[in-house]
Amino acid sequence: MFAIIQTGGKQYRVQEGDVIRVESLQGEAGDKLDLTPIFVGGDQNAFGDAAGKFTVNAEVVEHGRGPKIYIRKYKSGVQYRRRTGHRQDFTAIKILGIKG
């Protein structure tokens, strides 16, 4: 059985035992989360209001920052060059089960 959850403006396909990195969430390591799926598949398919009867149980594993991404800007002929960087915060969560 798998489910599609939505968090941080993105959708993730998860099943029991998966560890995924999502946008930064509140909570300490070891805290439990209950997420509502938008689709549940497997032996039976459920989406919309029927998927709202299911819950995805998860646990916060860690908080961290992703790899550095370098941004370069350049305009030819005017000697304009800029280089900046960005590191996105994430929360790693482990899917404990899909109940419904």
Side-chain angles (χ1 to χ4, degrees):
M1 178 180 268
F2 70 93
I4 297 178
I5 59 171
Q6 182 173 357
T7 179
K10 299 179 180 82
Q11 296 177 355
Y12 302 92
R13 182 184 189 274
V14 298
Q15 57 190 11
E16 188 173 345
D18 285 351
V19 176
I20 60 171
R21 288 183 171 188
V22 298
E23 295 289 325
S24 187
L25 298 173
Q26 297 292 327
E28 298 296 321
D31 287 354
K32 307 287 188 212
L33 300 172
D34 289 330
L35 304 168
T36 305
I38 57 175
F39 179 80
V40 176
D43 298 338
Q44 56 186 354
N45 293 335
F47 57 91
D49 292 336
K53 297 175 184 172
F54 288 85
T55 58
V56 176
N57 299 325
E59 177 184 9
V60 175
V61 177
E62 68 172 340
H63 295 284
R65 301 188 78 190
K68 188 154 196 156
I69 298 171
Y70 291 104
I71 297 105
R72 291 183 179 90
K73 296 179 182 181
Y74 173 77
K75 291 184 182 177
S76 63
V78 293
Q79 305 226 339
Y80 175 81
R81 292 175 182 85
R82 296 289 181 270
R83 179 180 159 193
T84 60
H86 175 76
R87 292 181 70 186
Q88 186 68 34
D89 294 330
F90 70 86
T91 299
I93 60 174
K94 180 174 182 173
I95 307 301
L96 300 176
I98 302 169
K99 309 260 189 276

